[in-house]
Amino acid sequence: MSFEIPDGLTDLLQDFTVAVLKERPPDLVKFAAEYFNKLNDKKSDDQNERSRGVRFAESEPMQTDESDDEPMIEPPPRQFARRKSVSAERYDPEADEEEGDQKIVHPKSDEQRKRLSEAVKPIFLFRSLEPEQMHCVLDAMFEKKVTPGEHVIDQGDDGDNFYVIDSGTYDIFVDNKQVGKYDSSGSFGELALMYNMPRAATIVATSEGSIWAMDRLTFRRIVLKNAYEKRKVYESLLENVPMLKTLEPYERMNIADALFSKTYEDNSVIIKQGDSADCMYFIEDGEARVTVKNMKEPDSDEMEVMRCKKGMYFGELALLTHKPRAATVYAVGKTRLAVLDVQAFERLLGPCMDIMKRSIDSYEEQLVSVFGSKAAISDLR
Ligand code: 1OR
C-alpha cells in the first residue's frame, strides 16, 4: 500500500513538534487542541486580510488596490515557515562555540569594492572594528540584487545573513503592520543572528536595489561580540532617559550602537560656550555642572545654571538649533559620558525632536532668572 503525503503535513507536524519542545506542556492532548485551534483562527484571519486587497508575493511585483484607503497590509505570512528557531535564549559570548577561524572571501570588482566601502561607512555596528577585522568583513560580504516586492527577510524565519543596503528602498513590517522603511542606506538582520531568535520583522524591497550580505558565521565571529556588549552596556542607561521612553526598544538599541564612552576628570571642560557643536552627551556616571556667562561682557563671571546627574543628557541644544554652544559644561568628580555624534543624533533621535525643542523654553526661563533679563543672553533659537 502506498500513501501520498499531503502538501504541508511535514511542515505542520514539524512546527507542532517545535512548539511542544519549546513549551513542554504537561497535557499534550490539551496543548495540541489549543495549538491547532489557534492555527486555524490565524489561517482564517490571514485569508480575510488577503481577500481585502493588498498582496505581496515573494517573486511577484507588489500589487496595490488603489481604491482602498486602508493602511497597507503586509504580505500574508507564509503559513508554515520551513525552519523555526528552537532556542530563543540570549547570546552568551563566553559560551559561544560557533567560532572558528574559517575565512570567507567573495571576490569583488574594483567598482563593487568602492560601492561596498561607501555603503558600510554609516553602519554603527562596524564602527568599533579594528582595521584587520574590517578587512575580513568586507571580504566576506557578497552582493544581492533585489526587485520590487521581493522579501529579503520574513518575520519568523531563522536568521541566515546580515544585510547592508547599497541602494533601493525597503519597507519594514512587524506583525503585518508597516513600522518603518529604509531609504538607500542602513543595515538590518542583526537581531536574529545576535540573539539566536527568529527574524523579528519582514523586510520587503519596494524598488530595484542592491544589498550586501554577510553570512551568519562571519557576523558572529567578527561583529557580534563588540556589538552585543555595547547594546548590553547602554541598554539600561538609555531605558532610564525619560525622553527616550517613547522610542521602541529596537530604536534604543540603534542608539546604543552609535554611542561611545568618554571619561572626564574632575573640573575638566566637556563643552565650551561659543564653540561649534558636533555631539551630545548622556551621563553614565558622575555629574556635570552647566555654567553660562554673558558673552557680550567677556570678563564677567560664569553663573551656574544647572546640574546634570546620571541618566540626564546635555549638549543637544546646539545640535537642534545649529548654533554655537550656549553654555560651558564641567565634570564634577570623575565623570563618564556616552557620546552621540551629530549624524547619529539626526538619524536616530527624530522622534524625540519635539520633546527636546520644548525644553528650549525652560532653558530660556532659567537664563532669564539668572541674568535678570533676556537682553544679556544670546538668542537660543
Ligand atoms: P532580524 O534579524 O530580526 C529583521 O530580521 C530585521 O528587521 C531585524 O533583525 C532588524 O534588523 C530590522 N523591530 C525589530 N526589527 C526591526 C525593526 C523593529 N525595524 C527594523 N528591524 N521595529 C521598528 C522600529 C522603527 C520595532 C517595531 C515594533
Side-chain angles (χ1 to χ4, degrees):
M1 200 166 24
S2 71
F3 294 101
E4 194 179 317
I5 298 176
D7 258 3
L9 178 66
T10 315
D11 284 339
L12 177 68
L13 294 178
Q14 198 175 322
D15 281 355
F16 173 66
T17 310
V18 169
V20 170
L21 295 176
K22 254 168 133 175
E23 303 285 327
R24 295 194 216 152
D27 184 339
L28 193 55
V29 175
K30 188 162 169 253
F31 179 78
E34 284 168 1
Y35 175 89
F36 287 108
N37 265 331
K38 244 190 238 163
L39 201 60
N40 192 36
D41 291 347
K42 190 164 177 291
K43 197 172 150 205
S44 329
D45 285 353
D46 289 345
Q47 274 166 355
N48 286 341
E49 281 189 353
R50 238 173 293 175
S51 63
R52 270 198 285 154
V54 187
R55 187 172 156 241
F56 302 46
E58 225 165 284
S59 52
E60 289 167 11
M62 185 168 52
Q63 296 167 8
T64 46
D65 184 346
E66 303 283 296
S67 65
D68 194 344
D69 285 337
E70 287 190 0
M72 266 221 284
I73 297 165
E74 203 262 331
R78 280 187 280 146
Q79 269 294 286
F80 306 114
R82 196 138 290 146
R83 296 173 299 140
K84 283 261 165 72
S85 289
V86 180
S87 72
E89 84 279 8
R90 292 198 129 203
Y91 168 66
D92 175 2
E94 304 311 322
D96 192 10
E97 285 159 16
E98 275 185 74
E99 290 200 19
D101 46 13
Q102 208 186 353
K103 218 173 145 181
I104 294 177
V105 179
H106 288 277
K108 293 170 195 75
S109 66
D110 287 349
E111 183 272 334
Q112 279 182 310
R113 275 205 168 268
K114 209 166 147 215
R115 268 194 295 120
L116 175 57
S117 49
E118 280 306 307
V120 297
K121 264 188 197 157
I123 307 304
F124 298 121
L125 287 172
F126 292 168
R127 279 222 178 142
S128 41
L129 297 180
E130 302 292 334
E132 177 54 25
Q133 293 176 310
M134 193 65 196
H135 197 78
C136 293
V137 160
L138 296 184
D139 272 347
M141 298 195 91
F142 55 98
E143 186 165 21
K144 250 183 109 185
K145 300 279 184 196
V146 296
T147 51
E150 185 173 333
H151 289 218
V152 182
I153 285 180
D154 273 294
Q155 187 175 352
D157 277 5
D158 266 357
D160 46 5
N161 296 318
F162 167 68
Y163 299 97
V164 172
I165 296 171
D166 182 306
S167 62
T169 50
Y170 304 80
D171 281 346
I172 310 164
F173 296 92
V174 173
D175 296 336
N176 293 348
K177 273 194 220 84
Q178 190 180 345
V179 293
K181 57 170 76 171
Y182 298 105
D183 188 354
S184 317
S185 69
S187 64
F188 54 82
E190 80 292 1
L191 283 182
L193 307 188
M194 217 168 199
Y195 301 110
N196 257 336
M197 286 174 69
R199 293 295 198 186
T202 294
I203 309 288
V204 183
T206 50
S207 71
E208 299 275 338
S210 167
I211 47 182
W212 295 98
M214 181 196 293
D215 66 284
R216 174 190 170 91
L217 269 183
T218 306
F219 181 86
R220 287 181 72 91
R221 196 162 55 84
I222 303 176
V223 184
L224 180 58
K225 201 163 178 168
N226 279 340
Y228 178 87
E229 292 299 333
K230 223 168 162 191
R231 287 190 173 184
K232 208 164 68 176
V233 165
Y234 294 124
E235 192 178 14
S236 59
L237 171 76
L238 297 179
E239 261 173 14
N240 290 312
V241 177
M243 169 181 78
L244 304 180
K245 288 213 156 73
T246 53
L247 298 180
E248 294 290 343
Y250 182 67
E251 293 175 303
R252 285 197 292 270
M253 281 183 191
N254 286 324
I255 298 177
D257 294 340
L259 291 173
F260 58 93
S261 292
K262 226 171 151 177
T263 302
Y264 289 84
E265 295 303 324
D266 183 28
N267 222 21
S268 55
V269 176
I270 303 165
I271 277 177
K272 196 156 179 290
Q273 187 173 351
D275 279 0
S276 60
D278 57 7
C279 58
M280 69 171 288
Y281 304 84
F282 297 91
I283 302 189
E284 286 185 76
D285 224 345
E287 200 176 314
R289 184 162 56 90
V290 184
T291 68
V292 180
K293 79 180 199 176
N294 184 347
M295 295 297 264
K296 289 165 197 151
E297 291 171 28
D299 295 332
S300 62
D301 287 338
E302 288 179 337
M303 314 277 265
E304 181 170 331
V305 286
M306 197 173 30
R307 289 263 169 158
C308 295
K309 308 237 174 268
K310 190 174 168 168
M312 291 170 77
Y313 61 88
F314 59 87
E316 83 295 3
L317 182 62
L319 304 186
L320 272 174
T321 58
H322 305 285
K323 292 196 161 185
R325 294 295 192 191
T328 298
V329 183
Y330 296 93
V332 179
K334 196 172 182 164
T335 297
R336 199 170 73 240
L337 304 171
V339 187
L340 190 71
D341 71 25
V342 62
Q343 289 84 12
F345 171 87
E346 283 171 359
R347 239 165 73 189
L348 304 172
L349 288 187
C352 306
M353 290 298 164
D354 282 343
I355 303 182
M356 288 190 280
K357 279 183 185 151
R358 263 179 260 144
S359 59
I360 300 182
D361 290 339
S362 77
Y363 289 148
E364 276 179 345
E365 279 163 27
Q366 263 169 296
L367 286 174
V368 171
S369 75
V370 169
F371 288 101
S373 88
K374 229 179 156 177
I377 54 168
S378 40
D379 190 8
L380 290 186
R381 284 164 206 274

